[in-house]
């Protein structure tokens, strides 16, 4: 008579291990895709010059305040430590951006990541965000750059210039709509006063 012993169960993988696997599957085809000449790009020296045009003033370590009717915001999309991508404005990760009501805002959004495409969207949908955005307010944002790809030339970075009229006071959010990114924390708040 033989006795069958139960197989030892594999240790449970933490959720972030599954999310990382999903992320790798999702970004691999996109990050290797060649982009066309139509993708606007900047070199690192051009990005540094562009950053100097940002009209915000950092406050309290986690907010950037913009005065005036025509503020300029330069947003970098970075991957400081896998797996958590972030936005940076004035060297602050995912800061709260503060604008006056009625401001006509120009955003320059630059993907400096060499790991994943990113997007920049403005929405009224507050966090938490799903792994794959499904909320109508997120999937139909007020502003959306579309995906900013990794470029084949490592010395060039994709970017987009978008405008937004902050006509109504209230709370808004900027998010990356690329799957998984917002759920991992790639979002920030916008206050219109």
């Amino acid at each position: 008579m033989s006795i069958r012993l139960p197989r030892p169960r594999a240790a449970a993988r933490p959720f972030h291990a599954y999310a990382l696997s999903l992320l790798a599957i999702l970004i691999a085809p996109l990050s290797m895709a060649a982009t066309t000449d139509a993708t606007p790009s900047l070199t690192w020296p051009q990005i540094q010059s562009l950053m100097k045009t940002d009209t915000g003033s950092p406050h309290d370590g986690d907010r950037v305040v913009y005065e005036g009717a025509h503020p300029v915001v330069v947003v970098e999309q970075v991957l400081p430590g896998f797996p958590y991508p972030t936005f940076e404005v004035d060297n602050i990760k995912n800061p709260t951006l503060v604008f006056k009501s009625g401001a006509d805002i120009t955003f320059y959004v630059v993907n400096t990541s060499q790991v994943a495409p990113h997007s920049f969207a403005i929405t009224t949908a507050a966090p938490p965000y799903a792994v794959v955005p499904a909320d109508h307010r997120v999937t139909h944002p007020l502003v959306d750059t579309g995906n900013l790809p990794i470029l084949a030339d490592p010395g060039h970075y994709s970017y987009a210039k978008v405008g937004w009229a902050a006509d109504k006071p209230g709370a808004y959010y900027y998010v990356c709509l690329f799957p998984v990114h917002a759920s991992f924390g790639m979002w920030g708040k916008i206050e219109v006063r």
Side-chain angles (χ1 to χ4, degrees):
M1 171 179 215
S2 64
I3 299 174
R4 240 187 194 171
L5 296 174
R7 281 186 161 175
R9 289 179 55 155
R13 290 176 71 187
F15 173 75
H16 72 278
Y18 289 107
L20 289 176
S21 298
L22 174 63
L23 178 63
I25 291 166
L26 291 171
I27 68 170
L30 295 171
S31 63
M32 291 188 215
T35 57
T36 66
D37 292 335
T39 303
S41 69
L42 296 170
T43 62
W44 184 246
Q46 290 171 319
I47 293 169
Q48 290 176 313
S49 293
L50 183 62
M51 287 178 176
K52 293 175 185 173
T53 68
D54 189 295
T55 59
S57 298
H59 286 273
D60 303 327
D62 64 350
R63 293 184 315 138
V64 181
V65 177
Y66 292 85
E67 301 290 338
H70 301 283
V72 173
V73 184
V74 180
V75 180
E76 247 190 295
Q77 300 166 313
V78 299
L79 193 69
F82 195 73
Y84 304 108
T86 61
F87 292 104
E88 284 188 12
V89 178
D90 284 329
N91 294 315
I92 302 172
K93 291 180 190 325
N94 299 334
T96 297
L97 306 177
V98 181
F99 301 101
K100 291 188 177 192
S101 181
D104 186 16
I105 307 159
T106 300
F107 290 94
Y108 289 95
V109 185
V110 184
N111 182 5
T112 60
S113 169
Q114 291 296 297
V115 177
H118 293 296
S119 73
F120 175 86
I122 297 175
T123 178
T124 57
Y129 299 107
V131 171
V132 178
D135 186 312
H136 178 78
R137 295 169 302 159
V138 175
T139 57
H140 293 84
L142 305 170
V143 169
D144 184 6
T145 61
N147 281 339
L148 298 174
I150 298 169
L151 300 181
D153 180 351
H156 289 82
Y157 305 92
S158 61
Y159 81 98
K161 176 183 175 183
V162 293
W164 181 52
D167 294 332
K168 254 175 106 174
Y172 302 87
Y173 300 86
Y174 58 96
V175 300
C176 179
L177 295 181
F178 195 78
V180 180
H181 291 189
S183 67
F184 274 6
M186 194 170 182
W187 64 271
K189 187 174 183 181
I190 295 175
E191 294 175 4
V192 178
R193 301 176 177 174

